[in-house]
Amino acid sequence: MAILERFTDIIKANINELLDKCEDPAKMIDQYLRDMTEDLAEVKKETAAVMAEETRAKRMLEENTAEMKRYEDLARKALTAGNEGDARVFLGKKQQLADKAASLQATFDAAHANAEKMRQMHDKLVGDIETLNSRREMVKAKVAVAKTQERVNKLGASADKAAGAMSAFERMEKKADQMLDQANAMAELNTAPVDEAAALEAKYASAAGDAAVDDALAKLKQEMGL
């Protein structure tokens, strides 16, 4: 049976591990739900068929066991009535049924094992679907938060870059100030020092010239009778 061949893979599937491997859990969880719902419909159908086989095999085994008991009871009655030959016939029929019982028991055991597998597969799928349904909105919410966090991280990186640019600008501004101060200092050093004695000499030289002019003017006025 094809569905039973898939039993091992389905029963061993760990829905949590599958979700952890998803690149986009929000989309994949919906896909898993669709796939598993389809599987569940098939499993339900097959499980019902296998359980029916189990029930039929059990009924045949029970009927055979009942027949064996009936023929044994008939053999007892025959012996009680003193009919040993009839008892032998009844016991022969019971022996035939006993030989058949082994085959019926094996058939029932196989049908029961298959039914157990199908029930486990059915219960596993039902449980996984319930898990997916309960986690779907939670997973989608986490994905939304994660995407928001990614955008925040990108904005944070931009802010860090702007802060770095501002810091670099401040360093350049300080360097420009330092260069300007250095240039002013060099200009001050390159200016010739003032000779105070020479300045005073020029002052007094100018005063002496003014006095000479005054004397000449007074003499001229005297000569002119002014």
Side-chain angles (χ1 to χ4, degrees), residues 135-148:
R135 293 184 60 187
R136 175 165 50 183
E137 295 306 320
M138 178 182 65
V139 169
K140 289 184 176 181
K142 286 183 177 180
V143 170
V145 171
K147 290 181 178 179
T148 300

Side-chain angles (χ1 to χ4, degrees), residues 1-172:
M1 187 180 299
I3 192 67
L4 284 176
E5 293 176 358
R6 295 171 52 197
F7 168 76
T8 302
D9 293 337
I10 293 178
I11 208 68
K12 288 183 178 180
N14 188 318
I15 193 64
N16 293 319
E17 291 181 358
L18 292 176
L19 288 177
D20 292 338
K21 295 178 181 178
C22 292
E23 294 182 0
D24 189 343
K27 293 181 179 179
M28 292 304 298
I29 196 170
D30 289 335
Q31 184 61 49
Y32 279 132
L33 272 172
R34 288 191 292 270
D35 294 344
M36 294 175 71
T37 300
E38 292 177 0
D39 287 341
L40 181 59
E42 183 180 358
V43 167
K44 280 185 176 181
K45 180 180 178 180
E46 294 293 341
T47 299
V50 172
M51 290 177 67
E53 291 179 4
E54 179 190 24
T55 300
R56 182 168 58 254
K58 183 179 181 181
R59 182 172 62 251
M60 292 176 64
L61 179 61
E62 290 175 344
E63 288 175 352
N64 190 75
T65 301
E67 280 291 284
M68 289 173 59
K69 184 177 184 306
R70 188 172 71 85
Y71 280 111
E72 183 177 345
D73 291 342
L74 288 174
R76 291 177 183 277
K77 290 180 180 179
L79 285 176
T80 300
N83 298 320
E84 185 174 333
D86 293 344
R88 183 181 292 274
V89 172
F90 290 139
L91 290 176
K93 185 63 175 179
K94 177 188 175 183
Q95 186 59 46
Q96 292 177 4
L97 294 172
D99 294 340
K100 184 180 178 181
S103 176
L104 291 174
Q105 184 65 53
T107 299
F108 170 72
D109 290 343
H112 178 70
N114 288 338
E116 280 297 306
K117 290 179 180 179
M118 294 304 299
R119 280 190 285 266
Q120 289 179 36
M121 192 189 311
H122 174 271
D123 294 345
K124 175 69 163 51
L125 282 173
V126 169
D128 284 348
I129 289 173
E130 289 178 354
T131 297
L132 284 176
N133 277 319
S134 65
R135 293 184 60 187
R136 175 165 50 183
E137 295 306 320
M138 178 182 65
V139 169
K140 289 184 176 181
K142 286 183 177 180
V143 170
V145 171
K147 290 181 178 179
T148 300
Q149 185 63 52
E150 288 179 359
R151 292 196 296 272
V152 171
N153 292 342
K154 290 180 180 179
L155 291 174
S158 298
D160 291 341
K161 185 177 180 181
M166 183 62 70
S167 177
F169 178 81
E170 291 175 353
R171 290 196 301 272
M172 293 301 100

Side-chain angles (χ1 to χ4, degrees), residues 195-203:
D195 190 341
E196 294 183 2
L200 291 174
E201 182 180 352
K203 175 180 176 182

